[in-house]
Amino acid sequence: MKFQKTTLSKVPVLLYVMAIVTISFLQSCKSDQKRKDKTEAEIETAAGGNVIEIVTETMEFQMPDTIPSGWTTWRYHNKSNQTHFILIDDWPDNKHHIDTIRQKILKPINDAMLLFDQGKVKEGQAEFGKLPVWLNQVKFPGGVGLISPGLTAETTMNLNPGKYYAECYIRMENGMVHHIMGMIKEFVVMEEDSNLNEPTADYLIDISTEKGMIWEPPTSAGTYTFLVKFIDQIEYSLETSIVGLDVHLVKYRNETDLESLEKWVDFAQGMKEPAPEGLTFLGGVNDMPGGSKGYFKAILKPGKYALISEVPMASEKNLLKTFEIGE
Ligand SMILES: [Cu+2]
């Protein structure tokens, strides 16, 4: 590991690399309630198959300890006042114990971020220096995209048997990372197959490091299933400090919102609650290895939307794509 080479702007990127994850501070309760009301009425159930229901009320993942292998639909109900996502971590063998993960990974990351917030760069880097080498071996086989308070996201993925963690590494307003506050959950994917057929997609999103996102967006309102094909993925390495590709769907109001969006999803610039005004996150597919695919479902109404990847300067990489749904 070459932490001494790490610059401040790159440091947060490491968090990404390591996979990573609060208590709600009171954010506009009124608008949350509005969103909740709207959501309850809008949520549709997946068409049969194997659905894993996951709920967050404060800073936790309420989900089963075991799930079947193969295709499963993750329906994530964000009943909290904060924005979240689910990133799945596949840690190397024998390093799986949750106490180890908390102590050796989550704590130094959280401590480092708090120090960076105070402008203590050296001290923050020293915390990163405590991270174990085996962190390099973590893999991210998918997860559910960013979802705003009161809303439900739905993502369908294909997981192999094994032991995994679900985590969220968005930060609270006070800087604490959600994972250290409780948003890390161990689960086992069993040998038993879900027997769920792979979904059929209405729209295809190709994502790659070279071309960014390539797709033809919908233009009319409806409930759609999107297929995200990871053509490749950026190699996760502490030495190169590179973040990965993923897809998040967001509704926005105007161009100013897009600027806040691009800045907010860049971990180097904070990714702290509250998420900027005017943005409503609607799910997506979190990081997957190159060659993988995942699906997400969303209800689109007239308005302005964007797909964004959680990387620095997304628009320059063709990883921020806007589209509009007409009346
Ligand atoms: Cu979170």
Side-chain angles (χ1 to χ4, degrees):
M1 289 187 290
K2 297 173 184 170
F3 287 113
Q4 65 275 21
K5 287 188 180 173
T6 307
T7 61
L8 177 58
S9 66
K10 282 184 173 179
V11 163
V13 161
L14 291 172
L15 293 185
Y16 231 87
V17 173
M18 334 176 170
I20 317 310
V21 196
T22 321
I23 289 169
S24 47
F25 57 94
L26 297 169
Q27 188 190 332
S28 159
C29 295
K30 219 176 178 183
S31 66
D32 287 347
Q33 190 52 51
K34 230 187 250 168
R35 281 176 183 164
K36 269 177 196 157
D37 294 342
K38 185 178 73 180
T39 313
E40 303 298 7
E42 283 178 356
I43 297 313
E44 293 184 3
T45 52
N50 203 318
V51 178
I52 317 297
E53 303 283 352
I54 302 144
V55 175
T56 292
E57 288 180 300
T58 53
M59 228 14 95
E60 84 296 355
F61 288 121
Q62 300 170 29
M63 65 175 281
D65 295 328
T66 58
I67 66 169
S69 55
W71 290 101
T72 50
T73 293
W74 289 45
R75 191 181 298 138
Y76 180 34
H77 308 271
N78 181 3
K79 296 184 176 176
S80 76
N81 290 326
Q82 308 225 341
T83 306
H84 301 291
F85 57 64
I86 302 173
L87 177 67
I88 301 172
D89 306 337
D90 181 3
W91 294 95
D93 287 342
N94 305 321
K95 307 292 183 190
H96 271 157
H97 196 275
I98 192 156
D99 293 339
T100 310
I101 302 285
R102 280 207 185 97
Q103 196 55 35
K104 296 202 184 272
I105 310 284
L106 308 188
K107 187 173 184 304
I109 290 168
N110 189 66
D111 291 349
M113 294 313 292
L114 294 175
L115 287 163
F116 290 134
D117 284 351
Q118 298 163 26
K120 296 179 178 171
V121 177
K122 265 190 181 169
E123 291 87 338
Q125 285 173 341
E127 285 301 318
F128 276 127
K130 295 176 182 171
L131 291 163
V133 176
W134 51 263
L135 186 58
N136 272 323
Q137 297 162 34
V138 67
K139 293 188 177 72
F140 304 116
V144 181
L146 287 158
I147 185 76
S148 287
L151 300 184
T152 293
E154 199 171 294
T155 304
T156 302
M157 300 171 278
N158 190 334
L159 294 173
N160 294 323
K163 192 172 170 184
Y164 300 87
Y165 285 98
E167 66 150 310
C168 173
Y169 58 80
I170 293 174
R171 301 172 72 203
M172 294 171 63
E173 194 171 25
N174 66 8
M176 296 292 281
V177 184
H178 287 192
H179 59 41
I180 202 85
M181 299 303 298
M183 296 199 83
I184 182 129
K185 169 77 173 77
E186 184 183 316
F187 66 96
V188 171
V189 175
M190 298 176 295
E191 293 287 340
E192 176 202 328
D193 194 277
S194 68
N195 293 319
L196 174 66
N197 290 330
E198 185 174 339
T200 308
D202 302 303
Y203 291 91
L204 164 66
I205 302 156
D206 275 334
I207 185 165
S208 66
T209 48
E210 189 190 349
K211 294 181 178 166
M213 291 181 202
I214 304 291
W215 80 314
E216 281 298 325
T219 52
S220 57
T223 300
Y224 299 118
T225 299
F226 303 89
L227 163 58
V228 180
K229 264 190 175 172
F230 292 83
I231 306 299
D232 63 359
Q233 180 59 277
I234 297 172
E235 189 69 27
Y236 290 100
S237 156
L238 289 177
E239 286 157 19
T240 50
S241 302
I242 296 173
V243 297
L245 305 173
D246 53 14
V247 173
H248 305 275
L249 173 67
V250 57
K251 196 164 194 278
Y252 69 99
R253 301 167 308 187
N254 54 50
E255 300 311 302
T256 319
D257 292 340
L258 285 178
E259 286 168 26
S260 336
L261 169 67
E262 189 167 7
K263 200 172 162 195
W264 192 74
V265 301
D266 177 0
F267 211 102
Q269 305 201 44
M271 212 168 186
K272 277 187 193 170
E273 283 287 339
E277 277 287 309
L279 300 176
T280 307
F281 291 102
L282 298 166
V285 178
N286 228 318
D287 299 52
M288 284 187 173
S292 308
K293 54 187 171 177
Y295 296 81
F296 71 98
K297 187 173 166 183
I299 301 166
L300 300 181
K301 295 178 171 181
K304 293 172 188 285
Y305 292 85
L307 294 179
I308 190 163
S309 203
E310 196 193 320
V311 299
M313 296 172 292
S315 59
E316 290 179 14
K317 301 178 170 83
N318 199 35
L319 289 168
L320 170 57
K321 308 287 280 183
T322 58
F323 64 103
E324 198 157 344
I325 298 295
E327 291 291 339

